[in-house]
Amino acid sequence: MSKDSKITKGMTGTAFKQIGSAIIVWLMLLLSNSVDSGSDTDMDFLFHEIRIWQVVYFLFLAFVVAGLVFALNIFSIACSLSKTDVKTHLIIQTISAISVLVMVSYYYITSIEVMRLSIRPSLALVAAVVLVLFFLYVLISSVKELIHCKEKPKSKYMVPAIILSVLLVLAVIYPFSYLLKEHGFTNYLSDRFALNTAGDNDICNFVNHGVAIDDTIYYVTDSELQRIDPDGTVTAVDSAESMNCMPVRYEDSIIYWKVENNNIYFCGYDTKTDTISEQDAEIYHGDYYGVRFAGIRDSKYFYMLGGSIWCVDIIDGNIDISNSQRYAWDTAFTTDVFILVPVEYSAFIQEYGSTDSGVYCDGYKISRRYSREVGSVCLYSKSASGENYVDNVRACNVYNGRVYYVVYIDSEDSYEIYESGPDLTSPTLIGTMPRNPDDRYISPSIVASDTYIACIYNGDVVTIDIAS
């Protein structure tokens, strides 16, 4: 075989594959748009923080692999132009094709098996399929040519190829090694599809520091667990130096925590027997200000403390906090460069449901947030058909398919209390509550039961009959 024939073979047999390899960058970056949560609910915020590590590592892998593949193929073209070294660029093409296919596999393995996401039809998915098919073609054709190529590559040409190939292998291995580590959101992601994303009927009561059991409302103040009867009578059930917590209901019991002498105690109040069990949570002494949220799922009590979510089994209405296990951590993803979200808005709590992130009711997402356009805190109701809102809403509750909310009017000395359907249209004024115009930063709370609601503001309680 003449030298000219070898040069021609190097160019005509690989030019298309080399050009295709060089434009890999934009195709790989499109891949991050080909998966999502696979849910009809609005979970963009939910996956914002727990997906960011995947995006960071994927972009790292994509840029490194793309850069090295580009460098390898430029070197491959140089080898094609050499007098004898056809085999070197075939080896390079094989290595680069394998690396790209492994990189694509890494992305979809982490997306589907680790992040629990689903593939969605999109232009990015089409690009990914084209990418895979193209590099399968490159791999198969390069291997076939290698088998029939009897030449030996020149060592001087193989040195840079070996160096780049080693870097390429390391770039692929590094992100895969990350999957072997223990991650703070692994348990949460495994359980995600079992969560009640439609919203527990009691979740707004919990967020508003209240519980309804057997049509009786219980409420936690800064220092007391109170029972509020339909006629507005308030009875102290338990008291402490500090008890500003998020109580939760488990069957006929209320689980809450309190602080005495700088020690934290987790308590269970049995409403049937009117008895309280409490335990000294010595493992959390000094950290009680970090207890923020709580919830119940699958006979487990979940609570957030110190940036981590913990869980403990509930047995006969009681918990043994000493047997609690860390369930999720690093719930606010942080790096040395930036912090994405405050820790209290964790992925677990967001999906479990809070009035800040929104609860779901009869196809509507109901949320309360500040609106720059309106200039006040608004209550929003969003559905497939559109969005409605009410401005100047200081408190809200969603219970038994109905929405209850408190409206603040700057010129008045009272709050207005409304009831409406989940679409927020045709609200009904059901009551008012006196307020002190000077208390601009004290907001009321609403706790609902089957036949009445209780509005609590600055120590005052107003109950309203909703049985009709």
Side-chain angles (χ1 to χ4, degrees):
M1 181 181 292
S2 66
K3 293 181 180 180
D4 290 340
S5 64
K6 290 179 181 178
I7 294 173
T8 302
K9 180 180 179 181
M11 289 299 295
T12 59
T14 61
F16 171 71
K17 289 178 284 186
Q18 290 163 343
I19 294 172
S21 299
I23 63 172
I24 185 178
V25 175
W26 73 270
L27 284 171
M28 287 197 297
L29 298 182
L30 277 175
L31 288 178
S32 59
N33 294 319
S34 61
V35 295
D36 62 13
S37 66
S39 172
D40 293 332
T41 55
D42 183 7
M43 296 183 185
D44 290 342
F45 188 90
L46 164 69
F47 286 100
H48 187 200
E49 57 177 302
I50 61 176
R51 282 192 63 193
I52 191 64
W53 73 267
Q54 182 204 25
V55 174
V56 169
Y57 274 85
F58 172 70
L59 290 179
F60 165 79
L61 179 61
F63 278 114
V64 172
V65 171
L68 292 176
V69 167
F70 183 81
L72 281 170
N73 281 274
I74 293 297
F75 184 67
S76 175
I77 293 174
C79 292
S80 299
L81 294 172
S82 68
K83 296 182 178 180
T84 60
D85 212 352
V86 175
K87 196 165 190 175
T88 298
H89 72 76
L90 292 176
I91 294 173
I92 290 174
Q93 284 183 358
T94 302
I95 294 172
S96 62
I98 292 173
S99 300
V100 172
L101 293 174
V102 170
M103 184 275 297
V104 175
S105 301
Y106 165 80
Y107 178 73
Y108 284 104
I109 289 173
T110 56
S111 296
I112 298 170
E113 295 299 325
V114 180
M115 303 304 296
R116 311 290 290 178
L117 304 179
S118 302
I119 297 176
R120 63 181 176 90
S122 63
L123 179 62
L125 181 61
V126 174
V129 172
V130 171
L131 183 69
V132 170
L133 292 177
F134 173 76
F135 277 97
L136 278 174
Y137 158 74
V138 172
L139 178 62
I140 294 171
S141 61
S142 297
V143 170
K144 287 176 63 177
E145 291 185 51
L146 273 173
I147 294 174
H148 295 94
C149 183
K150 303 303 182 182
E151 299 177 7
K152 292 183 179 181
K154 289 185 177 180
S155 57
K156 66 178 181 179
Y157 291 120
M158 288 302 297
V159 171
I162 291 173
I163 294 174
L164 289 173
S165 299
V166 170
L167 293 175
L168 202 54
V169 171
L170 292 176
V172 172
I173 290 177
Y174 177 64
F176 268 102
S177 66
Y178 184 78
L179 299 180
L180 302 177
K181 299 179 181 178
E182 185 180 25
H183 301 295
F185 45 75
T186 300
N187 292 330
Y188 164 73
L189 288 174
S190 298
D191 293 342
R192 185 175 71 83
F193 294 107
L195 291 176
N196 183 9
T197 54
D200 192 303
N201 194 44
D202 292 318
I203 188 63
C204 287
N205 277 344
F206 299 164
V207 172
N208 282 298
H209 290 199
V211 172
I213 299 177
D214 287 340
D215 201 30
T216 301
I217 290 174
Y218 298 86
Y219 181 77
V220 172
T221 70
D222 289 342
S223 60
E224 287 186 340
L225 171 63
Q226 300 175 339
R227 184 179 68 245
I228 303 176
D229 295 324
D231 61 1
T233 301
V234 177
T235 305
V237 175
D238 193 10
S239 61
E241 290 178 5
S242 176
M243 199 185 288
N244 186 13
C245 69
M246 181 175 174
V248 297
R249 170 190 177 182
Y250 181 74
E251 297 178 345
D252 295 321
S253 297
I254 302 171
I255 301 175
Y256 60 101
W257 60 86
K258 62 184 180 180
V259 177
E260 293 279 9
N261 299 320
N262 293 324
N263 296 334
I264 183 171
Y265 298 85
F266 280 80
C267 307
Y269 172 58
D270 190 326
T271 61
K272 294 297 184 184
T273 63
D274 195 31
T275 58
I276 298 174
S277 63
E278 62 180 43
Q279 53 185 300
D280 188 344
E282 297 180 4
I283 56 176
Y284 297 135
H285 286 177
D287 290 332
Y288 60 88
Y289 287 117
V291 180
R292 299 300 302 269
F293 295 102
I296 298 287
R297 192 181 79 241
D298 300 332
S299 296
K300 290 183 180 292
Y301 175 66
F302 291 82
Y303 58 98
M304 176 177 282
L305 186 145
S308 296
I309 297 171
W310 302 75
C311 69
V312 60
D313 291 328
I314 303 174
I315 301 175
D316 297 329
N318 295 312
I319 61 174
D320 182 0
I321 210 70
S322 63
N323 290 327
S324 61
Q325 297 179 337
R326 196 165 65 154
Y327 176 82
W329 55 96
D330 296 333
T331 49
F333 183 89
T334 61
T335 69
D336 294 335
V337 180
F338 54 85
I339 299 177
L340 283 178
V341 291
V343 69
E344 55 265 39
Y345 299 113
S346 70
F348 173 79
I349 297 300
Q350 285 291 323
E351 187 161 19
Y352 195 80
S354 77
T355 52
D356 288 323
S357 64
V359 294
Y360 298 90
C361 178
D362 297 334
Y364 293 87
K365 179 186 178 182
I366 301 166
S367 60
R368 180 173 165 264
R369 63 184 186 273
Y370 180 79
S371 170
R372 288 190 177 90
E373 293 79 6
V374 180
S376 70
V377 176
C378 298
L379 181 64
Y380 288 87
S381 175
K382 182 179 180 181
S383 68
S385 59
E387 183 177 85
N388 295 319
Y389 75 90
V390 180
D391 59 356
N392 289 313
V393 173
R394 286 300 178 91
C396 67
N397 197 317
V398 181
Y399 192 82
N400 286 346
R402 304 296 293 173
V403 180
Y404 306 93
Y405 58 91
V406 177
V407 173
Y408 166 83
I409 301 176
D410 189 54
S411 61
E412 301 295 332
D413 59 359
S414 64
Y415 287 113
E416 294 181 341
I417 306 167
Y418 289 87
E419 176 184 2
S420 75
D423 59 359
L424 300 184
T425 61
S426 303
T428 301
L429 178 66
I430 59 175
T432 61
M433 168 176 281
R435 73 173 180 87
N436 184 347
D438 295 330
D439 291 335
R440 304 178 65 89
Y441 302 104
I442 300 178
S443 295
S445 295
I446 300 179
V447 184
S449 71
D450 293 338
T451 62
Y452 70 104
I453 65 172
C455 295
I456 304 96
Y457 165 72
N458 200 21
D460 297 327
V461 176
V462 171
T463 56
I464 301 171
D465 184 10
I466 58 170
S468 59

